[in-house]
């Protein structure tokens, strides 16, 4: 059996048992990356040498009879929003081009400690802001199912590399749907854990109260394997939950009898593509067939989700991204070079003129350096969100925008609490359409924001969600299904998905491009 | 001090203070870096205090405890729930682009600190608006004048825990402000909250000041509030306030401008020039876009924890003054002087008083001898060579009549200078008790040699005997002057 045909669970078992070397497994995926990534652009950096070195070390460890970590020999692709001390961490931004952090993110450290093999860093929307991966300063990712289409975002590179078999598993991050939506559009399985379940230390912050790292893989069982390693308390992240980590892979096979899944009729309104609606209803039917009960529920404040999200997230982002000012690291504008205005594009602020005091010279030179560094270093979507957030937090607007958004966020959280009195899970579409064309929405920020319609509330409520394929369009594009669960109910999310994946084979399908030459 | 305007000062100066003190923790507020002063630039830094991508803050519980201790000693209410906020602004010494501080829910509020001068000149209860915790910024050094020079940034200080103490505008004179600051500093040092070293930047003061000027028809005109910055000693606070009050009065006379009509002004104190100067308007126009810090969880404070913290705190200076005066029966003035010297000196005094058995005698020695020589020599009381046991022995021997106080002072000075014990010094100086036979012989010789004195005493002028004491001491330095006097008077009476 080829390593690429194996599940991650089988792959680590084979390595542990000596049926497959870590080196062989790693080489297989590196070959696929070499063959395909020129067309897909899923990786911002590939660490061929480092990966082979790690793999060889794992094999040596096994030979020496030492205990192997739970992910021994498993190639993993890591979103470029996570700090790696041996690879650049750019967040797909010109601002951080070539930036090499002096430390590993907690999740990266855990992967290394588990003997996983990090093969490279994946492309994304700049600073995780976007739903199509077109906001990368290093070019968009192409959907392996149709290279003219977007893979979704912001974890588009992670989703595409798993879909195209360039890695068996990947790490993504999800602030408003950034794991689940690209997983849906690329036909893979992606889990956004409960807020605080996985340490955010070393994840370049977009919106701190919403960001959460999670696994992306071909199946729920593989996600469970990865989650077990990356979840758990980190004293270095004050928002991380100090609770034991369940053995996520151990309870997958329990049947779904008695499990109640909520269905929100409002999800099926105008805007939902009929093909998607059909596949989602079929999935509900499959769950019913598997023993679950489907109950219609109401999420009264769900319509306010996108508006709330697009206040909370930009407000936090405007502050989180203030550190990229050219003073300490990252992109700094060359002194004296003017910035040329581009018609129809967001323009940099005029440098603040001298302020008529002794330090005026320094002050104005400094402000000009800030303005130009940020004007040059950030892409338009990042600038748009920084401006939105800065505006909404300003004196006189705070109560009308940010404070109100926090109130609505509490209402949305309450919706979930109320819903989970009646049901154990909430099902539905993960996005309104299958993968859209590259460039189709990139000129229309509002249309792009609506891409997050079905996913943002999960983050606002701080609960968990999973997305997995539930069918294909006539055009051959994957359609995603989303399940959401109460806080810390990852075992149920994974079990329900695994049960579904035992009944269906959508998750086993591969895009033609992924087929390896014989 | 009175708060009413006088002919000399035809206005009342109204002052509120904002004091930043660096807490005495080993590590920074949100990371594990050292807070030691004076390290090579940018050596006490990590991803968190450098504001690197992906770094996160974790609260230093010790810093929170120290801040709560200060707030409790200031009589503040401690909030059962407190949160952190981000104060957003761009500056190179602020690597995250925001400072983690506390905005609308500070951990404590509504306290007071009274400054009591036993001489009664400066005495006032100053209300504390709030005490909150925040992280310090780094230090940027640039050539202000040239404008084009390089700016250097040292982030060792970035993330150091600061406690900000804000008073109500309750102070009424520059002298009072200085006295209050002294009391605050004493309190914080006593509690181990801060070393309050202004040279190292552990204590910084900004002052808000304006004047209340009685004007026509009994109306009080209030001048615009000015915030004064850059004062680096309590003395400069006082000087700056004196200058600023005079400046505001002059300006008011010229413009009649009142509060509320112009924006609050920030002025910097130029110490060598002795003037305040207007600073940039940046501060007033800033919008810090405060919002709750999402990387930190709110802090909850339980009653039990508060009680334990209060218990472990020790007496603040004000309580200690009263206790000391009562326990050792010393005047309030003495207790004030002793307590103002710090906890170690109080411990020395109590050890001494215990051994001597008489508080006032011990206190006199402290004030007249120990403190004076300590001031001359410098250094701490713990390193003072004459320990309480030795000093108590000296005082004991004076009480026994072995020698008099002035002789004891000589011995004290010699012990200090030579580092030898009291006994050694006594022996080397040939000090021995003079027996009564020796004394009678000596006195007879004196009377025989001074018939004039004998006649004066007989004529009723007993004070004339004083002249004999100096002569007696010349003949034998060990004689007790009191005894000489009594003996001589006795002998004259018998003549
Ligand atoms: Zn640090």
């Amino acid at each position: 059996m080829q390593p690429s045909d194996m599940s991650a669970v089988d792959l680590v078992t084979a390595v542990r048992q000596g049926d497959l070397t870590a080196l062989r497994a790693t080489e297989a995926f590196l070959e696929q990356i070499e063959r395909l990534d020129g067309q897909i652009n899923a990786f911002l950096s590939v660490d061929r040498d480092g990966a082979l070195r790690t793999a060889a070390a794992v094999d040596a460890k096994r030979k020496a009879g030492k205990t192997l970590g739970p992910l021994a020999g498993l190639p993993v692709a890591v979103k470029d929003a996570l700090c790696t001390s041996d690879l650049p961490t750019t967040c797909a931004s010109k601002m951080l081009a070539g930036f090499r952090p002096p430390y590993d993110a907690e999740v990266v450290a855990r992967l290394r400690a588990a003997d996983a093999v990090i093969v490279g860093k994946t492309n994304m929307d700049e600073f995780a802001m976007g739903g199509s991966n077109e906001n990368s300063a290093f070019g968009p990712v192409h959907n392996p199912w149709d290279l003219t289409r977007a893979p979704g975002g912001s974890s588009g590179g992670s989703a595409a590399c798993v879909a195209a078999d360039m890695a068996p598993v990947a790490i993504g991050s999800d602030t408003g749907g950034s794991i689940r939506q690209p997983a849906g559009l690329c036909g893979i399985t992606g889990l956004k854990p409960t807020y605080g379940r996985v340490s955010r230390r070393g994840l370049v912050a977009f919106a701190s109260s919403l960001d959460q790292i999670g696994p992306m893989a071909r199946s729920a069982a593989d996600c469970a394997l990865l989650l077990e390693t990356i979840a758990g308390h980190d004293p270095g992240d004050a928002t991380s939950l100090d609770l034991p980590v369940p053995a996520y892979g151990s309870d997958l096979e329990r049947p779904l009898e008695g499990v109640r899944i909520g269905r929100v009729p409002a999800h099926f309104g105008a805007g939902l593509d009929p093909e998607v609606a059909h596949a989602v209803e079929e999935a509900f039917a499959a769950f019913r067939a598997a023993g679950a009960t489907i109950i219609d529920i109401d999420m009264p404040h769900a319509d306010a989700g996108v508006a709330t999200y697009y206040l909370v997230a930009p407000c936090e982002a405007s502050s989180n991204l203030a550190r990229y000012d050219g003073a300490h690291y990252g992109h700094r504008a060359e002194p004296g070079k003017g910035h040329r205005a581009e018609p129809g594009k967001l323009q940099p602020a005029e440098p603040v003129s001298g302020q008529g005091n002794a330090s005026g010279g320094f002050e104005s030179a400094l402000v000009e350096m800030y303005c130009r560094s940020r004007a040059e270093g950030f892409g338009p979507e990042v600038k748009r969100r920084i401006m939105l957030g800065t505006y909404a937090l300003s004196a006189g607007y705070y109560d009308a925008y940010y404070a109100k958004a926090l109130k609505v966020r509490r209402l949305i959280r309450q919706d979930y609490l109320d819903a989970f009195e009646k049901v154990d899970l909430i099902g539905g579409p993960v996005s309104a359409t299958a993968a859209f064309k590259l460039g189709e929405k990139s000129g229309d920020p509002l249309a792009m924001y609506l891409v997050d319609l079905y996913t943002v509330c999960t983050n606002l409520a701080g609960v968990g969600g999973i997305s997995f394929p539930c069918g294909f369009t006539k055009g051959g594009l994957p359609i995603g299904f989303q399940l959401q669960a109460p806080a810390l109910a990852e075992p149920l999310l994974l079990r329900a998905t695994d049960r579904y994946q035992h009944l269906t084979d959508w998750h086993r399908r591969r895009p033609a491009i992924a087929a390896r030459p014989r | 001090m009175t708060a009413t305007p006088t002919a000399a000062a035809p206005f009342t100066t109204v002052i509120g203070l904002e004091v930043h003190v660096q807490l005495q923790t080993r590590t920074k507020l949100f990371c594990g870096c050292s807070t030691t002063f004076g390290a090579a630039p940018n050596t006490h830094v990590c991803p968190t205090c450098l504001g690197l991508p992906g770094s996160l803050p974790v609260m230093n519980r010790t810093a929170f405890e120290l801040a709560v201790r200060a707030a409790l000693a200031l009589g503040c209410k401690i909030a059962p729930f407190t949160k952190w906020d981000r104060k957003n602004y761009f500056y190179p010494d602020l690597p995250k682009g925001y400072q983690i501080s506390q905005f609308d829910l500070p951990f404590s509020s509504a306290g007071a600190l009274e400054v009591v001068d036993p001489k009664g000149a400066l005495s006032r209860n100053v209300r504390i608006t709030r005490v909150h915790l925040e992280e310090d910024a780094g230090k940027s050094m640039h050539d202000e004048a040239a404008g084009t020079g390089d700016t250097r940034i040292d982030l060792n200080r970035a993330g150091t825990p600061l406690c900000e103490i804000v008073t109500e505008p309750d102070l009424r004179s520059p002298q009072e402000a200085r006295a209050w600051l002294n009391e605050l500093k004493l309190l914080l040092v006593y509690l181990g909250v801060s070393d309050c070293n202004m040279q190292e930047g552990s204590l910084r003061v900004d002052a808000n000041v304006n004047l209340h000027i009685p004007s026509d028809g009994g109306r009080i005109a209030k001048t615009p509030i000015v915030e004064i910055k850059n004062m680096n000693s309590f003395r400069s606070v006082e000087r700056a306030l004196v200058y600023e009050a005079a400046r505001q009065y002059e300006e008011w006379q010229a413009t009649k401008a009142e509060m509320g009509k112009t924006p609050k002004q920030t002025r910097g104190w130029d110490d060598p020039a002795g003037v305040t100067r207007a600073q940039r308007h940046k501060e007033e126009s800033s919008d810090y876009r405060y919002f709750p810090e999402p990387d930190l969880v709110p802090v909850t404070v339980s009653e039990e924890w508060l009680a334990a913290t209060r218990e472990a705190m020790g007496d603040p200076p004000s309580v200690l003054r009263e206790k000391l005066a009562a326990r050792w029966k010393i005047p309030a003035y003495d207790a004030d002087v002793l307590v103002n010297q710090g906890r170690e000196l109080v411990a020395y005094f109590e050890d001494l008083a215990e051994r001597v058995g008489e508080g006032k005698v011990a206190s006199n020695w402290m004030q007249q001898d120990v403190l004076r020589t300590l001031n001359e020599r410098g250094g701490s009381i713990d390193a003072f060579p004459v320990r309480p046991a030795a000093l108590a022995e000296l005082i004991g021997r004076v009480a026994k009549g072995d020698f008099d106080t002035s002789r004891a002072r000589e011995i004290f000075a010699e012990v200090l200078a030579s580092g030898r014990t009291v006994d050694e010094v006594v022996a080397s100086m040939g000090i021995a008790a003079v027996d009564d036979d020796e004394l009678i012989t000596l006195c007879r010789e004196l009377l025989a040699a001074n018939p004039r004195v004998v006649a004066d005493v007989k004529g009723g002028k007993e004070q004339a005997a004083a002249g004999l004491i100096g002569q007696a001491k010349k003949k034998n330095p060990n004689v007790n002057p009191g005894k000489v006097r009594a003996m001589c008077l006795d002998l004259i009476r018998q003549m």
Side-chain angles (χ1 to χ4, degrees):
Chain A
M1 202 189 239
Q2 291 293 314
S4 58
D5 296 330
M6 297 163 79
S7 73
V9 173
D10 290 345
L11 195 149
V12 294
T13 308
V15 169
R16 188 169 300 118
Q17 290 172 351
D19 300 336
L20 173 70
T21 64
L23 202 58
R24 170 81 191 84
T26 304
E27 275 168 349
F29 288 100
L30 286 171
E31 275 163 26
Q32 183 82 330
I33 293 170
E34 253 160 59
R35 191 174 71 83
L36 287 185
D37 205 42
Q39 298 168 72
I40 293 174
N41 200 27
F43 285 90
L44 292 178
S45 56
V46 176
D47 188 16
R48 190 184 164 80
D49 294 347
L52 293 174
R53 226 175 12 249
T54 309
V58 170
D59 290 333
K61 201 170 167 184
R62 201 196 70 83
K63 265 194 197 144
K66 291 186 189 150
T67 311
L68 293 181
L71 302 182
L74 180 68
V76 182
V78 176
K79 188 177 184 178
D80 209 27
L82 279 82
C83 287
T84 43
S85 55
D86 56 350
L87 285 172
T89 299
T90 70
C91 268
S93 179
K94 189 181 167 192
M95 185 56 91
L96 286 177
F99 177 72
R100 182 77 64 94
Y103 73 113
D104 278 335
E106 173 69 9
V107 163
V108 170
R110 284 178 187 231
L111 290 173
R112 293 193 205 277
D115 287 329
V117 177
I118 294 173
V119 292
K121 305 291 291 290
T122 58
N123 204 348
M124 55 189 279
D125 283 301
E126 184 179 3
F127 285 103
M129 298 178 187
S132 71
N133 224 302
E134 290 165 290
N135 298 333
S136 166
F138 308 109
V141 177
H142 298 261
N143 193 315
W145 293 92
D146 176 349
L147 295 177
T148 67
R149 291 182 186 267
S154 65
S155 310
S158 290
C161 80
V162 172
D165 259 349
M166 295 189 281
V169 295
I171 296 291
S173 71
D174 190 317
T175 305
S178 284
I179 286 176
R180 291 160 289 156
Q181 183 255 16
L185 301 192
C186 290
I188 66 161
T189 305
L191 172 74
K192 180 216 106 67
T194 303
Y195 185 76
R197 181 73 284 190
V198 178
S199 168
R200 291 184 296 118
R201 189 157 55 94
L203 168 68
V204 180
F206 160 19
S208 312
S209 76
L210 302 163
D211 294 344
Q212 189 62 195
I213 296 170
M216 302 174 80
R218 293 179 217 156
S219 67
D222 286 358
C223 282
L225 175 74
L226 203 52
L227 183 63
E228 216 169 299
T229 288
I230 63 172
H233 182 234
D234 172 11
D237 173 359
T239 62
S240 124
L241 298 168
D242 190 1
L243 293 166
V245 177
Y248 292 111
S250 69
D251 189 36
L252 298 176
E253 283 162 27
R254 193 146 55 91
L256 294 183
E257 260 77 31
V259 172
R260 301 161 300 169
I261 302 179
R263 177 186 170 279
V264 184
H267 283 167
F268 297 87
L272 185 67
D273 183 278
E275 280 189 289
V276 174
H278 178 74
V280 167
E281 295 287 28
E282 290 283 300
F284 275 118
F287 276 113
R288 196 177 289 118
T293 316
I294 311 300
I295 300 168
D296 276 0
I297 56 162
D298 187 22
M299 302 291 278
H301 300 95
D303 335 350
V306 170
T308 305
Y309 175 83
Y310 278 98
L311 282 168
V312 174
C315 284
E316 293 184 13
S318 70
S319 174
N320 281 334
L321 271 65
R323 66 190 66 197
Y324 309 109
D325 59 8
H328 300 276
Y329 52 83
H331 179 74
R332 179 191 290 189
E334 295 275 324
K337 271 197 207 160
H339 179 90
R340 207 146 36 91
E342 289 172 72
K345 290 273 177 70
L346 290 165
Q347 303 300 321
E350 280 297 310
V352 177
S353 55
Q355 298 174 357
N357 59 65
S359 61
F362 166 74
E363 295 278 330
S364 62
L366 176 70
V367 171
E368 191 184 338
M369 189 273 282
Y370 283 160
C371 291
R372 296 219 342 265
S373 299
R374 288 166 70 81
E376 293 169 13
F378 290 138
E381 184 57 32
V382 171
K383 288 179 195 165
R384 183 178 292 115
R385 297 202 194 184
I386 289 173
M387 284 192 289
L388 271 174
T390 304
Y391 181 83
L393 286 176
S394 297
Y397 299 100
Y398 182 93
D399 288 337
Y401 297 116
Y402 185 71
K404 184 163 278 179
L406 291 189
K407 280 183 198 152
V408 180
R409 186 176 182 178
R410 280 192 286 275
L411 294 173
I412 289 170
R413 195 172 288 155
Q414 191 58 46
D415 278 1
Y416 276 89
L417 292 175
D418 294 345
F420 290 130
E421 295 278 305
K422 302 181 201 96
V423 296
D424 305 301
L425 293 166
I426 300 169
V430 68
S431 52
T433 66
F436 45 89
K437 290 268 188 192
L438 287 166
E440 188 183 325
K441 295 179 199 273
S442 53
D444 184 352
L446 269 182
M448 193 65 95
Y449 293 174
L450 288 170
V451 161
D452 301 326
L453 184 65
Y454 297 112
T455 48
V456 290
C457 288
T458 322
N459 302 72
L460 289 168
V463 300
I466 195 167
S467 152
F468 51 89
C470 67
F472 282 80
T473 63
K474 287 186 201 82
L477 297 172
I479 295 170
F481 189 88
Q482 175 176 236
L483 283 174
Q484 300 172 82
L488 296 168
E490 283 82 8
L492 179 59
L493 278 178
L494 289 162
R495 181 180 134 214
T497 307
D498 183 72
R499 289 301 86 208
Y500 178 83
Q501 291 179 336
H502 267 260
L503 293 175
T504 57
D505 73 344
W506 307 117
H507 65 291
R508 292 183 203 284
R509 303 203 183 174
R510 291 282 159 273
I513 197 172
R516 287 161 201 250
R518 295 283 159 186
Chain B
M1 170 163 278
T2 69
T4 31
T6 62
F11 52 78
T12 303
T13 312
V14 177
I15 304 162
L17 299 174
E18 277 179 38
V19 184
H20 284 90
V21 288
Q22 183 185 321
L23 299 175
Q24 245 168 321
T25 53
R26 279 186 306 107
T27 56
K28 295 184 181 181
L29 186 49
F30 297 115
C31 64
C33 292
S34 165
T35 52
T36 312
F37 180 80
N42 300 309
T43 52
H44 290 173
V45 292
C46 72
T48 295
C49 57
L50 288 174
L52 291 187
S55 62
L56 292 175
V58 176
M59 187 189 78
N60 178 344
R61 189 78 201 179
T62 306
F64 187 71
E65 276 174 33
L66 287 181
V68 166
R69 204 187 282 183
L72 283 173
L74 291 169
C76 289
K77 278 191 286 202
I78 310 292
F81 170 95
T82 184
K83 70 176 172 72
W84 301 94
D85 299 285
R86 289 188 184 176
K87 177 179 180 176
N88 295 284
Y89 66 95
F90 285 96
Y91 212 70
D93 60 18
L94 190 72
K96 298 192 298 297
Y98 56 84
Q99 178 193 28
I100 305 177
S101 182
Q102 299 198 284
F103 181 50
D104 55 342
L105 294 174
F107 78 87
S108 74
S109 60
L113 175 66
E114 194 175 7
V115 49
V116 182
D117 182 344
K119 283 177 245 162
L122 311 161
S123 175
R124 191 174 298 282
N125 191 45
V126 176
R127 289 168 298 156
I128 310 284
T129 315
R130 58 187 278 163
V131 179
H132 77 248
L133 250 176
E134 62 187 28
E135 57 174 345
D136 205 349
K139 225 162 71 180
S140 35
M141 292 149 280
H142 52 260
D143 188 343
E144 294 257 342
T148 50
D150 280 350
T151 297
R152 285 172 232 261
I153 298 162
D154 177 5
L155 294 175
N156 281 351
R157 214 178 62 187
T160 297
L162 289 183
C163 194
E164 182 175 327
I165 300 163
V166 182
T167 78
E168 294 288 315
D170 285 349
L171 289 154
R172 288 296 176 269
S173 77
Q175 297 74 24
E176 208 170 81
R178 183 176 177 177
W180 187 85
L181 285 167
N182 275 322
E183 182 68 10
L184 177 70
K185 176 179 170 177
L186 187 68
L187 174 75
L188 298 174
V189 172
Y190 258 95
L191 298 176
V193 167
S194 172
D195 63 15
C196 293
N197 186 331
M198 284 186 94
Q199 273 67 49
E200 294 178 3
S202 310
L203 189 151
R204 284 167 254 164
V205 184
D206 298 333
N208 285 292
V209 55
N210 75 339
L211 308 180
H212 287 187
I213 307 168
S215 53
D216 309 335
R219 203 178 76 83
I220 303 287
K222 296 175 181 175
T223 59
I225 296 175
V226 168
E227 180 172 7
I228 315 177
K229 291 181 175 288
N230 303 343
M231 300 169 288
N232 42 32
S233 69
F234 291 168
R235 190 170 158 269
S236 33
V237 172
E238 183 179 346
R239 288 177 65 213
L241 287 167
V242 168
Y243 172 86
E244 182 58 24
R247 192 197 65 79
Q248 285 189 24
Y249 188 61
E250 211 167 279
E251 188 171 284
W252 181 79
Q253 283 178 310
T255 65
K256 301 286 175 202
E258 292 193 28
M259 197 169 85
K261 283 162 193 145
T262 49
K264 180 172 139 182
Q265 198 190 30
T266 302
R267 299 178 72 87
W269 172 242
D270 180 340
D271 203 66
V275 297
T276 63
R277 295 183 206 280
Q279 288 189 332
R280 54 175 182 265
H281 283 260
K282 191 184 116 192
E283 294 290 330
E284 300 91 84
S285 57
S286 291
D287 174 358
Y288 292 118
R289 290 172 283 116
Y290 280 101
F291 76 104
E293 164 59 282
D295 285 332
L296 287 165
V297 286
V299 188
T300 49
V301 175
S302 71
E303 275 305 319
E304 300 80 68
W305 183 79
L306 264 189
T309 305
R310 207 177 266 124
E311 191 73 28
M313 216 164 71
D315 289 329
S318 56
V319 174
L320 196 56
R321 285 188 191 101
E322 284 172 18
K323 281 194 180 171
L324 223 53
R327 190 182 302 148
W328 301 107
K329 300 187 173 56
I330 55 173
Y333 177 85
D334 286 25
D336 186 59
V337 170
L338 293 170
V339 168
N340 290 359
Q341 298 297 320
R343 221 183 254 291
E344 292 79 12
L345 189 117
V346 169
Y348 184 103
F349 164 72
E350 293 211 275
D351 188 356
L352 179 67
E354 187 74 50
R355 291 167 189 273
V356 171
E358 225 192 305
K360 182 55 187 162
V361 174
S363 175
N364 287 347
W365 272 88
M366 291 299 296
Q367 322 256 354
Q368 287 162 29
D369 302 281
V370 177
L371 278 177
R372 188 174 43 79
T373 35
L374 196 62
N375 285 341
E376 286 162 12
R377 294 166 59 95
S380 78
I381 186 70
D382 288 341
F384 194 69
V386 183
R387 306 309 307 155
L391 184 52
E393 194 205 323
L394 199 59
I395 297 171
R397 289 179 65 170
V398 172
K400 256 191 351 197
D402 285 357
F403 37 75
D404 68 333
T405 303
S406 67
R407 195 80 174 117
R409 290 220 161 92
E410 289 168 36
I411 299 166
F412 179 76
E414 185 55 28
V415 169
L416 268 176
S418 65
R420 286 178 296 173
T421 65
V422 173
D423 277 342
E424 283 165 2
V425 169
V426 166
S428 80
M429 288 171 83
I431 299 171
V434 180
D435 70 26
D436 283 359
D437 287 350
E438 249 181 288
L439 197 66
I440 288 176
T441 312
L442 187 122
C443 288
R444 289 210 166 113
E445 284 169 27
L446 285 175
L447 295 179
N450 293 282
R452 184 71 193 267
V453 173
V454 175
D456 283 353
V457 171
K458 284 201 155 177
K461 285 161 80 182
E462 278 198 4
Q463 64 271 32
L468 300 172
I469 293 165
Q471 293 181 43
K473 287 210 92 171
K474 252 180 222 152
K475 282 179 185 286
N476 184 347
N478 295 331
V479 293
N480 183 322
K483 278 191 176 176
V484 170
R485 189 173 180 275
M487 178 76 70
C488 287
L489 291 177
D490 242 24
L491 287 172
I492 292 169
R493 241 173 266 131
Q494 290 164 22
M495 283 164 97

